[in-house]
Amino acid sequence: MTRRTLMAAGSMGLALVAAPRALARRADSHRERVEDLIARMTLQEKAGQLTLFNDPFRWRPGNVNPGDFDTDQEKTAQQIRDGHVGALFNGIGAEQARYAQRLALEESRLGIPMLFAADIIHGLRTTFPVPLGEAASWDLDLAERTARAAAAEGGASGIHQTYAPMVDVARDQRWGRVVEGAGEDVLLNKLFAAARTRGFQGDDLADPLSLLATPKHFAAYGAAEAGLDYNTTDMSEQTLRGVHLPPFQSAFEAGALCTMSAFNDLNGVPTSGNHWLLTEVLRDEWGFTGFVVSDYTSERELIAHGFAEDDRDAARIALTAGVDMSMQSGIYLAHIPDLVESGDVAMEVLDRAVRRVLMTKAALGLFDNPYRGADPEVERRVVGSPAHRDLAREAGRKSVVLLKNENKLLPLPKAGKRIALIGPFGADRSNVFGPWSIFADREMGVTFEEGFRAALTDASLLTVVKGSDVEAPLDGGIEAAVAAARDADVVVLAVGESHNMSAEAQSRVNIVLPAPQQALAEAVAAVGKPVVVLLKTGRALELSGAVKDAGAIMVTWFLGSEEGAAAADVIFGDHAPIGRLPISFSHYSGQQPYYYSRKATGRPELPEESEYKARFRETSNTALYPFGHGLGYAPVSYGEIVLGSETLPWDGELTASVSVTNTGDRPVDEVVQLYVRDRVASLTQPERLLKAFQRVTLAPGETVEAAFTLTRQDLLFIGRDMAPTVEPGWFDLWLAPNAQGGPHTQFRLVR
Ligand code: NOJ
């Protein structure tokens, strides 16, 4: 047996990168120019700089927002010439970017460059796994690299800004937008927010292949009541500051110079009209210097919220609160001049917003190099490059999570066994990319069938049967599937959600497999062959019946362009699964919102007593598959935790380590997770909270000691006075394979 020792930074969540100073320096050099422009701009031109419309000039996807996109090119061209629009979004293509930019530079009075933005969420033409799937890799370097590649494709297509990363903490799996972020945990969201921001923005925001990052949706959008998209959020300020705001802070500390105000109201005030949030917290407390863009018409939606009387009132409230740029509604353009002339909005308030937008354009290098990366030749070379496809395959295989693997059913052999690939996603290309892959190259997607055929030594052993549509039965589908299962040695069931069942406005009442697919699974399982489930999903699902009872379950999310190849890499054992769940799988939909870091309550569920406890009649509070769970192809055993001392001195450090051993015969990756619980505090604390993690790779038989260093900083919570605080006393500590169980000990923080 070999032995290695690895040390991990204890306070990983706190080790944030300072905002790149180069950005600030470049912007400073443009300050004079910006002030000169502001002095010369008319009110209409100022309102124009704060106005963002959809891009009618370039190739664009089907609409991803309500209402029609304006396709009138001449109208927009004239608005650019008149200085009535300063930014366009959701069109790509270098050639046409040059055209629109030239209009602004050469035909508008002041020649202020346009800003081009797009929803580049998990890749552009090359698509990487959906953000939730990629978060399952727990691999920050990977997230940074895929964001970098997405930025390169975007930059080469004449884009300057992406509306990503989504950093909303999501604890209710009914909410469709869970798929767009890093899941339920604060630390994971903070780390992915920073990594993705670094990836998009690179070392230099003015690099033509960098994109301005837009952490969204500010703020607490993921806490929508009942998981219903756009719904009200209402929470204590401690929860807001302790759970929902930290990922934003993390992205800003990594250099993000834009954020998007959200659709929801928060404690009675819509976030897109929330002065406290957008100005007092964001600017005055945190010192954010970028600009705030509204989410699509969210500033006009102040009217529907019952918070503004009409468009003019909504524009006044939003601008004064701190929304600098209005997306698509046009109400800034229509009403700002009059609001200022009538004295309802101070010129100073308007100038402040214009300054933020212009200074961000300066930071992007647009005043020096307005065409930036928009070069059709570069576009051809960068977009969909072989290197990006390789990265998509790597990211895909690192994102799958193996939930269950009875009797070593996986990996499957490449020869000698007849495989029936059954289900709506076996041969389907349209769902490999996942939601928010609006610019994906649809030709590029590799299906499960294609990936399997390429991996198998004898592809004639593979039979593919659809069996059912995603949400409707197929005539004769079950019969054909059952026949294929009878003829096979093993069944692979590719079932789950289609891409349009999650993401925006796709909240679900029951987070279950659609009934026709469940019926298919039951019929196929009844044949009696071993069943491997490939679960395509954008959220945690309630698993039941034949799907829950399958011999092996692998969550594939939506893996992107290389989905089938990446899945085959893992299924046939060329690579071991290494993913870990960034969300908990509850037993039932009715348990939502469900997350591991819940509070204990005064009547916590205890194994020895079940009466009068905070639990549902039907199930215990434990997860079916907990946050952090994921198997490799070899078992790993944990030793006892070894603490450097029983006490953590106030200004000192505490080391905690555990040895992990690969007891199997294949290499394995283990993600050792450090959780704590503050036993007694002046405010109740979660039952466990992730504080650090460390990946170790173990050869068969190898033992590695995973060591962590904790300081007082790791034990902070938001106190009654809203400031981060830490209190002396006893803490529980786990070094565990997931958020449920694992070796436990305790230590005392002493002052
Ligand atoms: C609305 C979505 O909430 C947001 O995430 C997206 O960036 C905008 N539409 C623009 O498409």
Side-chain angles (χ1 to χ4, degrees):
M1 195 189 335
T2 56
R3 229 183 148 78
R4 285 185 287 138
T5 303
L6 291 176
M7 291 292 287
S11 35
M12 290 181 69
L14 303 163
L16 297 168
V17 179
R21 289 189 211 303
L23 297 184
R25 270 202 305 276
R26 179 172 312 103
D28 278 345
S29 72
H30 288 281
R31 207 167 287 281
E32 230 171 276
R33 176 162 186 182
V34 164
E35 291 310 323
D36 171 64
L37 281 171
I38 291 175
R40 290 192 292 134
M41 288 164 91
T42 63
L43 282 175
Q44 276 293 332
E45 284 165 339
K46 287 180 184 176
Q49 280 306 308
L50 306 186
T51 294
L52 165 72
F53 286 136
N54 75 264
D55 189 329
F57 303 113
R58 304 199 256 173
W59 182 84
R60 66 181 184 288
N63 202 356
V64 287
N65 290 291
D68 289 334
F69 261 26
D70 199 339
T71 53
D72 187 341
Q73 298 190 355
E74 190 38 45
K75 178 176 143 206
T76 306
Q78 196 51 44
Q79 283 171 324
I80 295 176
R81 291 185 194 104
D82 294 340
H84 289 182
V85 60
L88 298 176
F89 77 107
N90 276 357
I92 59 165
E95 195 83 59
Q96 301 87 334
R98 296 185 71 85
Y99 167 70
Q101 193 64 295
R102 195 188 55 71
L103 285 176
L105 296 174
E106 295 176 15
E107 298 186 29
S108 77
R109 191 175 75 90
L110 294 170
I112 301 174
M114 299 290 293
L115 174 72
F116 300 132
D119 284 300
I120 301 172
I121 309 299
H122 53 111
L124 188 83
R125 306 294 278 166
T126 311
T127 313
F128 302 106
V130 288
L132 182 69
E134 190 185 67
S137 70
W138 293 47
D139 186 336
L140 304 170
D141 172 65
L142 178 72
E144 187 169 337
R145 287 188 289 134
T146 60
R148 193 82 214 110
E153 294 201 3
S157 307
I159 299 296
H160 313 136
Q161 172 177 19
T162 176
Y163 294 141
M166 190 190 93
V167 303
D168 297 317
V169 173
R171 296 179 159 187
D172 192 324
Q173 303 299 318
R174 292 171 296 182
W175 192 51
R177 304 200 79 170
V178 170
V179 69
E180 296 175 51
E184 70 178 54
D185 179 62
V186 179
L187 176 64
L188 223 48
N189 268 288
K190 282 169 66 171
L191 295 174
F192 274 93
R196 288 175 171 150
T197 297
R198 286 196 301 272
F200 287 132
Q201 298 202 162
D203 295 332
D204 184 358
L205 194 50
D207 179 335
L209 300 187
S210 289
L211 296 178
L212 171 66
T214 313
K216 66 185 187 185
H217 307 80
F218 196 61
Y221 179 49
E225 271 184 10
L228 177 64
D229 205 6
Y230 316 123
N231 207 5
T232 290
T233 60
D234 204 311
M235 67 185 70
S236 72
E237 197 176 327
Q238 274 89 3
T239 300
L240 178 68
R241 287 181 181 271
V243 174
H244 297 279
L245 295 188
F248 286 95
Q249 289 172 278
S250 176
F252 298 141
E253 286 172 49
L257 279 182
C258 188
T259 188
M260 186 183 286
S261 67
F263 289 127
N264 55 295
D265 67 330
L266 173 63
N267 300 339
V269 183
T271 53
S272 290
N274 195 319
H275 186 271
W276 174 78
L277 185 68
L278 299 179
T279 297
E280 287 156 58
V281 174
L282 180 65
R283 306 269 176 197
D284 303 346
E285 259 185 56
W286 299 352
F288 175 72
T289 59
F291 73 90
V292 177
V293 60
S294 66
D295 199 348
Y296 194 95
T297 67
S298 65
E299 82 291 8
R300 188 167 62 193
E301 291 167 22
L302 299 182
I303 305 168
H305 275 290
F307 196 73
E309 268 175 25
D310 51 21
D311 284 359
R312 186 179 186 278
D313 200 30
R316 177 185 64 79
I317 294 172
L319 182 62
T320 311
V323 174
D324 302 304
M325 184 183 280
S326 142
M327 188 191 294
Q328 194 70 2
S329 73
I331 65 172
Y332 275 19
L333 184 64
H335 298 289
I336 280 178
D338 175 58
L339 282 166
V340 174
E341 270 163 6
S342 65
D344 287 340
V345 168
M347 181 72 95
E348 204 182 301
V349 170
L350 173 61
D351 286 351
R352 198 175 59 188
V354 174
R355 187 173 296 117
R356 289 169 184 157
V357 170
L358 293 182
M359 288 301 283
T360 309
K361 287 187 174 182
L364 276 160
L366 284 169
F367 285 110
D368 306 311
N369 179 17
Y371 294 102
R372 288 200 3 139
D375 175 346
E377 178 44 41
V378 179
E379 187 178 27
R380 268 189 293 279
R381 199 160 23 85
V382 171
V383 173
S385 72
H388 289 178
R389 297 195 62 153
D390 289 349
L391 180 58
R393 184 161 175 171
E394 178 194 342
R397 65 176 169 254
K398 287 181 170 171
S399 300
V400 298
V401 183
L402 182 60
L403 297 182
K404 180 181 184 186
N405 192 19
E406 284 173 358
N407 306 320
K408 295 191 182 171
L409 182 51
L410 288 177
L412 297 178
K414 289 182 180 175
K417 272 203 176 172
R418 290 163 304 160
I419 301 173
L421 174 59
I422 294 172
F425 303 113
D428 168 69
R429 202 181 314 282
S430 61
N431 283 289
V432 306
F433 310 99
W436 285 111
S437 52
I438 54 183
F439 303 106
D441 181 343
R442 305 273 148 191
E443 302 296 301
M444 224 195 235
V446 179
T447 65
F448 287 135
E449 177 181 0
E450 288 163 345
F452 282 27
R453 287 202 190 284
L456 287 167
T457 318
D458 180 1
S460 70
L461 294 177
L462 179 70
T463 310
V464 183
V465 177
K466 191 171 181 188
S468 166
D469 272 331
V470 178
E471 294 184 89
L474 211 59
D475 266 356
I478 289 194
E479 291 73 9
V482 165
R486 284 211 183 96
D487 282 346
D489 299 306
V490 60
V491 171
V492 178
L493 260 183
V495 291
E497 295 188 317
S498 60
H499 69 92
N500 51 15
M501 289 175 71
S502 54
E504 191 177 344
Q506 302 309 317
S507 300
R508 294 188 66 195
V509 169
N510 285 317
I511 48 172
V512 296
L513 202 64
Q517 291 188 64
Q518 189 71 39
L520 172 70
E522 301 302 337
V524 166
V527 173
K529 302 293 170 66
V531 175
V532 176
V533 166
L534 299 186
L535 191 64
K536 189 174 263 293
T537 182
R539 52 162 65 85
L541 293 176
E542 171 192 320
L543 306 180
S544 65
V547 173
K548 183 179 175 181
D549 296 340
I553 305 175
M554 191 181 267
V555 184
T556 62
W557 322 105
F558 300 87
L559 295 178
S561 308
E562 292 289 318
E563 175 163 279
D569 283 345
V570 180
I571 289 163
F572 297 104
D574 288 340
H575 293 265
I578 62 158
R580 299 291 182 273
L581 290 177
I583 42 174
S584 311
F585 273 56
S586 63
H587 292 270
Y588 295 102
S589 303
Q591 289 175 273
Q592 298 295 329
Y594 184 92
Y595 50 98
Y596 82 91
S597 60
R598 57 187 174 265
K599 304 279 187 77
T601 81
R603 295 194 173 182
E605 182 186 36
L606 301 168
E608 61 276 15
E609 316 159 29
S610 59
E611 289 297 293
Y612 296 98
K613 295 297 175 190
R615 53 163 286 165
F616 293 96
R617 289 174 68 89
E618 297 87 350
T619 179
S620 82
N621 291 336
T622 53
L624 174 61
Y625 291 109
F627 173 85
H629 171 73
L631 302 173
Y633 283 151
V636 173
S637 73
Y638 278 64
E640 297 284 300
I641 299 175
V642 179
L643 287 184
S645 155
E646 211 192 36
T647 55
L648 165 57
W650 196 248
D651 291 316
E653 290 181 350
L654 175 67
T655 58
S657 62
V658 69
S659 52
V660 283
T661 303
N662 177 350
T663 59
D665 52 11
R666 300 176 68 106
V668 73
D669 266 24
E670 180 64 6
V671 179
V672 182
Q673 300 157 37
L674 187 154
Y675 296 92
V676 297
R677 176 181 179 178
D678 190 341
R679 286 240 195 107
V680 179
S682 55
L683 288 171
T684 56
Q685 296 301 309
E687 286 187 333
R688 302 194 172 198
L689 205 50
L690 182 71
K691 292 294 175 179
F693 58 88
Q694 185 184 149
R695 176 182 300 281
V696 294
T697 301
L698 300 162
E702 189 181 18
T703 294
V704 164
E705 198 185 319
F708 297 83
T709 305
L710 281 172
T711 71
R712 177 174 107 232
Q713 299 301 313
D714 294 309
L715 308 174
L716 292 171
F717 64 91
I718 303 296
R720 287 170 189 258
D721 60 355
M722 302 306 152
T725 182
V726 58
E727 296 169 356
W730 283 99
F731 290 79
D732 289 305
L733 182 142
W734 293 264
L735 292 179
N738 57 59
Q740 216 161 266
H744 165 259
T745 187
Q746 54 198 9
F747 69 90
R748 198 153 63 98
L749 173 66
V750 288
R751 200 184 326 239

